[in-house]
Amino acid sequence: MLAILVKDGKGPIENLYLGETPEPELKYGQVMVKIKAFGLNRMDILQRKGNYPVPPGASDVLGVEFSGIVSALGEGVSKFKVNDEVFGIAGGGAYAEYIAVYETHLFPKPSHLSWIDAASIPEVFLTAYQALVVYGEMKEGENVLVHASASGVGIAAIQLARVRGAKAVISTASTKEKLDWLVNIPHGATNGVNYKTQNFAEEVKRITGNKGADVIIDFVGQSHWSKNIESMAMDGRMTMLALLSGTKVSEFDLSALLYKRLRIQGSTLRSRTVEYQADLIKRFADDFLGLITGQDGQGPIKTYIHQVYSWKKIQDAHRDMEGNQTIGKLVAVVD
């Protein structure tokens, strides 16, 4: 089959190319999907550069989220049949014509979602759901702070928090354009803070009447650490999904963790067990999946697509993702 491969196994954008690779073999409980579209995620950049280890047993082809048509069934499959329209997540292998994936990791594609919309949903919404609901345990009336909020996960988390009944949903981003967009979408952020020109900890305290954020979703790490701790409410919870600014905090007073009774959780969804992922997928589907539509749909939660590419233009897609100027998801179609 054809797939997007990386020359020499890792390297710069120019090493991405469309080439031949063996078709995957089905294991017990797996479904073969002929891929229509796949979503791009920042972990794809890290993996392409050789900085993101592939989970044991997963394909070393890039890509973790996709939409497509069931083309074959492995032994033990009961939920799907050939020609069903689906979307889902995998440990790898989505930048390809075909992918083998456990049936527990697939959603039936509703007719109101396009192939492109469906491919943009699984990774970002499951990650946001895990951070906000499973780890963050967000309750109605609580205040939420979302960093890197113009990313796919950030936009998903903002909407999930609003629909779940958050009081304030505060988004941080680096430009006025991004913040204006995030505040103005349906069920968008209640407040936007430019972390480059404003002290977000002071803004969180001002917005929440000195209560602070009950839940924080952070991708940034080192540069935001101290202000995050300052921003957190009593009994606050923070989920750390990435460390974009660095991994080491040179000096930190631990007393706030103790006296504010803070809880900080790290998370990488891709490395979790198949069983954990299957349970998360089921919980998310029960709670939120039926509420999601494309950006022109009527659902209270929408998936927003920044750009669609032919997979033959995958280098352009990675270049745009590395440029950090996007708002929403980048999706490639297999054409």
Side-chain angles (χ1 to χ4, degrees):
M1 67 173 183
L2 289 173
I4 302 296
L5 306 175
V6 186
K7 183 182 176 184
D8 302 324
K10 65 178 181 179
I13 288 171
E14 292 72 25
N15 283 26
L16 292 170
Y17 71 98
L18 187 62
E20 290 277 351
T21 193
E23 206 170 289
E25 296 182 3
L26 288 173
K27 300 175 184 175
Y28 185 90
Q30 286 190 332
V31 171
M32 190 76 76
V33 177
K34 188 177 192 307
I35 293 177
K36 289 283 194 177
F38 57 83
L40 280 74
N41 292 283
R42 194 159 291 278
M43 73 179 82
D44 304 344
I45 296 173
L46 296 174
Q47 183 180 334
R48 189 201 76 226
K49 292 179 176 179
N51 298 326
Y52 199 117
V54 176
S59 169
D60 59 5
V61 172
L62 299 176
V64 297
E65 61 182 348
F66 58 90
S67 61
I69 299 172
V70 173
S71 62
L73 305 176
E75 189 180 346
V77 171
S78 60
K79 291 170 59 180
F80 296 98
K81 61 184 186 298
V82 172
N83 292 326
D84 280 351
E85 298 184 350
V86 296
F87 62 109
I89 63 164
Y95 283 30
E97 285 187 300
Y98 293 93
I99 190 168
V101 61
Y102 288 102
E103 67 171 344
T104 53
H105 288 45
L106 292 174
F107 305 98
K109 186 184 82 67
S111 59
H112 66 263
L113 289 176
S114 69
W115 295 116
I116 291 165
D117 289 335
S120 75
I121 290 171
E123 176 68 19
V124 294
F125 274 94
L126 286 168
T127 300
Y129 177 77
Q130 178 182 242
L132 183 77
V133 178
V134 179
Y135 292 153
E137 298 177 1
M138 195 219 105
K139 303 171 189 68
E140 185 175 353
E142 289 192 322
N143 300 308
V144 177
L145 172 63
V146 181
H147 293 300
S149 53
S151 66
V153 176
I155 295 166
I158 287 167
Q159 295 180 90
L160 295 180
R162 288 293 304 276
V163 170
R164 200 171 170 85
K167 183 177 181 182
V169 178
I170 304 161
S171 64
T172 70
S174 59
T175 68
K176 183 178 185 299
E177 177 196 10
K178 290 180 178 180
L179 292 169
D180 287 347
W181 187 89
L182 290 161
V183 169
N184 284 301
I185 61 172
H187 289 115
T190 59
N191 304 85
V193 178
N194 187 324
Y195 68 86
K196 289 191 171 182
T197 61
Q198 296 173 283
N199 182 322
F200 72 78
E202 291 179 0
E203 289 300 305
V204 167
K205 287 186 281 189
R206 180 186 64 79
I207 292 163
T208 63
N210 283 321
K211 184 178 186 297
D214 301 287
V215 179
I216 296 180
I217 300 176
D218 183 46
F219 306 78
V220 182
Q222 179 267 328
S223 66
H224 282 19
W225 175 262
S226 295
K227 290 190 182 86
N228 275 335
I229 300 301
E230 185 182 345
S231 299
M232 292 175 79
M234 190 71 71
D235 295 307
R237 291 86 66 196
M238 177 164 67
T239 304
M240 304 191 71
L241 298 173
L243 303 165
L244 296 175
S245 70
T247 60
K248 296 181 180 179
V249 177
S250 58
E251 189 173 311
F252 172 59
D253 184 350
L254 291 168
S255 61
L257 292 179
L258 188 67
Y259 296 116
K260 290 170 76 172
R261 302 189 296 268
L262 304 180
R263 195 168 80 215
I264 298 168
Q265 170 87 45
S267 175
T268 53
L269 177 58
R270 189 180 188 183
S271 63
R272 300 301 297 246
T273 65
V274 168
E275 293 76 16
Y276 175 93
Q277 292 172 351
D279 178 67
L280 181 71
I281 288 163
K282 184 180 184 306
R283 289 179 62 180
F284 169 74
D286 290 344
D287 285 354
F288 285 111
L289 185 59
L291 305 177
I292 303 173
T293 64
Q295 64 191 63
D296 296 324
Q298 299 302 309
I301 301 172
K302 303 179 193 295
T303 182
Y304 291 94
I305 311 298
H306 180 86
Q307 183 79 35
V308 180
Y309 306 82
S310 163
W311 73 332
K312 297 164 189 165
K313 299 288 188 182
I314 194 65
Q315 290 188 10
D316 292 343
H318 269 237
R319 204 166 282 115
D320 288 346
M321 184 160 54
E322 288 194 4
N324 292 324
Q325 298 305 307
T326 58
I327 300 176
K329 284 292 292 187
L330 304 180
V331 177
V333 293
V334 177
D335 54 1

